[in-house]
Amino acid sequence: MDLANKVAIITGAGGGMGGEVIRKFLEKGAKVSAVDINVDAIAELEEKYPEHLLVTKADLTDEGSVNAVVQKTVDTYQKVDILLNVAGMAQSAKNIEDVSLKEWEQIMAINSTAVFLTSKAVVPFMKEKNEGSIINVASVSVDRPRPGLNAYVASKGATISFTKALAIELAPYNIRVNAINPGPADTKMLAEFVPAGGDEGDVKENTFLKSVPLGRLITPEDIANCAIYLSSDLAEIITGSVVNVDGGRGI
Ligand SMILES: NC(=O)c1ccc[n+]([C@@H]2O[C@H](COP(=O)([O-])OP(=O)(O)OC[C@H]3O[C@@H](n4cnc5c(N)ncnc54)[C@H](O)[C@@H]3O)[C@@H](O)[C@H]2O)c1
């Protein structure tokens, strides 16, 4: 699964999954345009891959910033083959009565609207080449919701519906659109799902870990492996699919 000569825009670069996905894409030979509001975590990769890594600090909920990142990527690497939307935010579990409109809108903005904005910006460049792969990281919680994650689950459900809608719209242009549903993953985000005042360690061990039939939390590497496959030519006939990378949590 060689990604040499492929150009990938990867969001969520500063996070647990995004950082590892970028590392693996670089190892496979891709040129990567990495985006996040916080890019500190990938500073060492910038030094290691000066020719293959372009890092931009940007808010993905802002249309102008998203358009500028995509244009900068094309100016630098001449094309975009892959868009991988990893950025997102969690929701601390709470009853619907306690969810403010502001919190709902913030979660929707990064988990759903940013996926619309990045897709809208890259599609013209992909149509030009009659080729492309868009991968959106959603969540297995859409199939197996936990109480109190109302806004989060809704935002990821919208992303899955959007993935399928774009897959059918863009198939005539040979642009594939797929989603990955991670199960509970061992990143800093996992603790952010715990209700205020909850015991993070206990919830991780006794709720999240125990919910995975294969018996371990999902790693960023598991997500990276799936993203590489979906990006590669081996997946050339796969579009509109939602792949659970979840150790069986979605069963
Ligand atoms: N960790 C889990 O258990 C889990 C499970 C299912 C799905 N997911 C999804 O996987 C993806 C990656 O999660 P992670 O575990 O790496 O989380 P993380 O918190 O480590 O990373 C998320 C990244 O998104 C970035 N981000 C948030 N808002 C942004 C904005 N407005 N503009 C630019 N960047 C922004 C953050 O700065 C952060 O670096 C997310 O979409 C998440 O919803 C995670």
Side-chain angles (χ1 to χ4, degrees), residues 7 10 18 70 78 82 93-94 107 142 148 151-152 173 177 192 194 196 206 208 229:
V7 175
I10 304 180
V70 172
Q78 287 73 53
I82 299 156
K94 56 171 77 79
I107 291 170
V142 172
Y152 181 80
Y173 304 93
V177 191
E192 294 164 6
V194 175
N206 291 316
F208 289 123
Y229 170 67

Side-chain angles (χ1 to χ4, degrees), residues 1-14:
M1 285 185 267
D2 188 14
L3 297 178
N5 301 319
K6 301 273 191 197
V7 175
I9 295 178
I10 304 180
T11 76

